[in-house]
Amino acid sequence: MNKINQVFAQRGDKKLLSLYFCAGSPTLDSTANVILTMQRRGIDFIEVGIPFSDPLADGPVIQTAATKALKNGMNLRTLFSQLQSIKEQVQIPLILMGYLNPILHYGIEAFCQSCVEAGVSGMIIPDLPFKDYLEVVKPIADRYDLRVIMLITPETSEERIRFIDENTDGFIYMVSSAAITGAQKSFDEQKQEYFRRINQMQLRNPRMIGFGISNAQTLKAAQDNAAGAIIGSKFVTLLDEAGGDADIALDKLFAALEK
């Protein structure tokens, strides 16, 4: 069974926590240590960002991290090499998150093959058109038992959400707002209503809520309305401040999530 499906099948009542960081930032060689530290500290799965020069859905924090990673020399071949070096030690699911352009340059088939060789369980490609996913990416990903995670936003129609639910596996990434990534202090009534509306749809796939989670209030809102939460910008900021020391960054993150 794919590790992503395994986590959801075995979670019981546990609320899951996924963290995002950008590979190669703040230092080129910090990626493996960050992953192993997160695993040791109880994170349920990890989104590993593929740095790209034009990350449309990302706010300034993740854009800055991506720029730093590219300047450090991070690219897909280096990332796959780093992941392969720790493959036997990583038990939790790794999900690569990145834009379509670098993946197309690498080659869809080659990318999926490298994912399997490096112990990756799935991918999130925010700018992948759903038609291209169905016709081109899904058949290849399915052959390699990889999960392609699709995003929904408050503006996504019910018809499209149900179509995504029927044609994907693993989980659905619920973007908390139709905006770029970045920490928020709270989720307003409009966002809460969106969470309730999706809950009432009783989708087949579990859901994880991301974008804007940075404190106890936003974490609880996400956990109350989905299988768990995804945190990106807050952790990326703390990791950068800690010079890549994931233990220090996680200590500060867990403290922030209790406030």
Side-chain angles (χ1 to χ4, degrees), residues 20-27 49-52 55 58-72 74 232-233 235-237 239-240:
Y20 167 95
F21 78 104
C22 183
S25 180
T27 66
I50 303 166
F52 182 52
D58 293 317
V61 168
I62 293 177
Q63 284 188 22
T64 300
T67 300
K68 186 177 288 189
L70 291 171
K71 284 180 179 174
N72 288 341
M74 178 54 73
S233 295
F235 181 68
V236 170
T237 297
L239 188 63
D240 189 59

Side-chain angles (χ1 to χ4, degrees), residues 43-156:
I43 302 306
D44 296 294
F45 50 90
I46 300 169
E47 291 176 19
V48 183
I50 303 166
F52 182 52
S53 56
D54 190 22
L56 297 174
D58 293 317
V61 168
I62 293 177
Q63 284 188 22
T64 300
T67 300
K68 186 177 288 189
L70 291 171
K71 284 180 179 174
N72 288 341
M74 178 54 73
N75 56 44
L76 269 174
R77 294 194 186 283
T78 300
L79 174 56
F80 281 128
S81 174
Q82 291 178 348
L83 295 179
Q84 228 170 334
S85 72
I86 56 169
K87 179 182 177 181
E88 302 307 318
Q89 299 167 259
V90 179
Q91 306 303 317
I92 63 176
L94 299 180
I95 300 170
L96 292 190
M97 185 166 187
Y99 293 86
L100 189 56
N101 187 285
I103 296 169
L104 286 177
H105 277 286
Y106 196 89
I108 302 285
E109 180 101 27
F111 179 80
C112 289
Q113 186 173 344
S114 292
C115 281
V116 172
E117 291 168 355
V120 172
S121 299
M123 64 196 84
I124 301 170
I125 310 172
D127 59 342
L128 172 65
F130 202 74
K131 185 173 183 289
D132 292 348
Y133 158 70
L134 286 175
E135 294 176 1
V136 180
V137 178
K138 186 178 188 299
I140 300 171
D142 285 351
R143 216 163 55 237
Y144 287 92
D145 194 31
L146 293 167
R147 303 291 173 260
V148 182
I149 309 303
M150 303 300 286
L151 287 74
I152 64 171
T153 76
E155 275 67 45
T156 310

